[in-house]
Amino acid sequence: MRYKITFSYSGAPYCGWQIQDNAPTVQGEVERALSVLLGHQVSVTGAGRTDTGVNALHYPAHFDTELPIEATYLLYKLNAIVGKGIVFHSIEQCSENFHARFDAVRRTYNYFVNKKKDPFIENFSYRYPYELDIEKMNSAAARLVGEKDFSAFEKTGTSNSTSVCKVFSAKWECYVPSYLSAAGLAPQDRQDYLVFEISANRFLRNMVRAIAGTLLDIGRGKRPPEWISEVIESKNRCSAGQSVPGRALFLTKVEY
């Protein structure tokens, strides 16, 4: 029987999603918890890999077992023994043909930036204390949309069969953190807090962080918006901007 599980995790305690021999990973911790409770080795397939420090909300995965499962009880026990930074939301039996990774048709990431010092979000946002032109950043982001070769934003040394991805949307927006909104407060500058959202059918390793860093260079005035088209055409990682830190990146949605 195949089961679909959803859980959220903070990437801070882990060296990415994919299991490794000598480092803590999200996949390794989820497999450990399920194996302990089910009494046999469980292999978990996730919706995709996330890098070290990257976070995920309602991340879908699947596993197989011949044992009958009482979902409510198993969910309770999993949350009791799983390592820090991970919380399980649901477990449900699914089709034997369901595949958490290959059946996904759209994935969405969000990257958070704060321009002013803020101790309440520093663990999940990237402080970037410079004036930014959001219109120019969005003009450049619009040039990402479509089916293109994104080699220029891919970590070197990977062995993907193709670097072509289809980007559905990419946009920067201002937002007010929930704790400020709940207190009836608002930032003095409405551009103090920014979030970049990008959706695509697939993503390359380090792709979103490299794109965000490139767009921030444009917003800061280092390059014009048209530059990003030149970067894409170059297919050279050295042509793009630096990757931004992983702690501010969230995989927020996977659609099937």
Side-chain angles (χ1 to χ4, degrees):
M1 293 178 287
R2 178 158 292 183
Y3 290 86
K4 178 185 177 183
I5 54 175
T6 61
F7 49 95
S8 297
Y9 59 84
S10 165
Y14 303 100
C15 295
W17 160 260
Q18 190 174 18
I19 198 165
Q20 301 177 36
D21 291 334
N22 300 308
T25 66
V26 178
Q27 183 184 25
E29 180 57 24
V30 170
E31 289 187 356
R32 181 198 67 81
L34 282 167
S35 298
V36 167
L37 294 175
L38 296 179
H40 67 87
Q41 185 62 43
V42 175
S43 177
V44 175
T45 300
R49 301 175 184 176
T50 54
D51 293 335
T52 298
V54 176
N55 316 286
L57 300 176
H58 288 269
Y59 180 92
H62 76 258
F63 68 92
D64 296 326
T65 182
E66 295 304 315
L67 298 176
I69 286 179
E70 202 291 297
T72 301
Y73 177 75
L74 181 59
L75 196 65
Y76 170 78
K77 297 297 288 185
L78 281 170
N79 281 320
I81 72 167
V82 75
K84 64 179 181 178
I86 300 175
V87 58
F88 288 89
H89 302 300
S90 66
I91 304 173
E92 59 182 343
Q93 189 173 351
C94 61
S95 166
E96 297 289 336
N97 296 321
F98 171 75
H99 198 285
R101 180 182 176 188
F102 296 138
D103 288 352
V105 296
R106 183 176 181 132
R107 298 167 172 85
T108 300
Y109 278 90
N110 288 83
Y111 194 86
F112 294 89
V113 172
N114 59 300
K115 290 169 56 181
K116 300 289 182 67
K117 186 176 182 180
D118 187 335
F120 302 109
I121 62 171
E122 61 185 12
N123 291 333
F124 298 103
S125 183
Y126 175 42
R127 187 183 177 199
Y128 195 78
Y130 305 103
E131 291 301 317
L132 294 170
D133 189 321
I134 297 179
E135 288 188 9
K136 289 183 178 180
M137 292 161 69
N138 278 330
S139 176
R143 296 168 183 267
L144 298 167
V145 176
E147 191 171 65
K148 303 176 182 181
D149 187 322
F150 287 93
S151 300
F153 302 105
E154 182 179 16
K155 186 172 183 178
T156 57
T158 56
S159 56
N160 288 323
S161 58
T162 177
S163 296
V164 174
C165 306
K166 185 176 182 180
V167 172
F168 302 114
S169 62
K171 186 178 181 180
W172 288 89
E173 290 184 333
C174 301
Y175 78 101
V176 178
S178 58
Y179 61 89
L180 290 179
S181 180
L185 302 173
Q188 293 180 342
D189 183 346
R190 63 182 305 271
Q191 292 189 13
D192 283 350
Y193 299 90
L194 303 174
V195 58
F196 174 58
E197 182 172 285
I198 183 169
S199 296
N201 65 333
R202 62 190 292 264
F203 287 93
L204 308 174
R205 189 176 180 186
N206 199 56
M207 177 175 162
V208 180
R209 292 165 58 196
I211 287 175
T214 301
L215 292 174
L216 287 172
D217 281 348
I218 292 171
R220 194 177 169 186
K222 290 184 174 182
R223 299 278 190 167
E226 303 80 39
W227 171 59
I228 203 162
S229 296
E230 298 176 14
V231 172
I232 294 172
E233 291 172 6
S234 75
K235 300 180 183 180
N236 186 340
R237 179 64 187 89
C238 295
S239 299
Q242 291 187 343
S243 295
V244 286
R247 68 177 184 276
L249 181 60
F250 288 75
L251 174 58
T252 52
K253 193 174 185 180
V254 179
E255 299 174 64
Y256 293 93

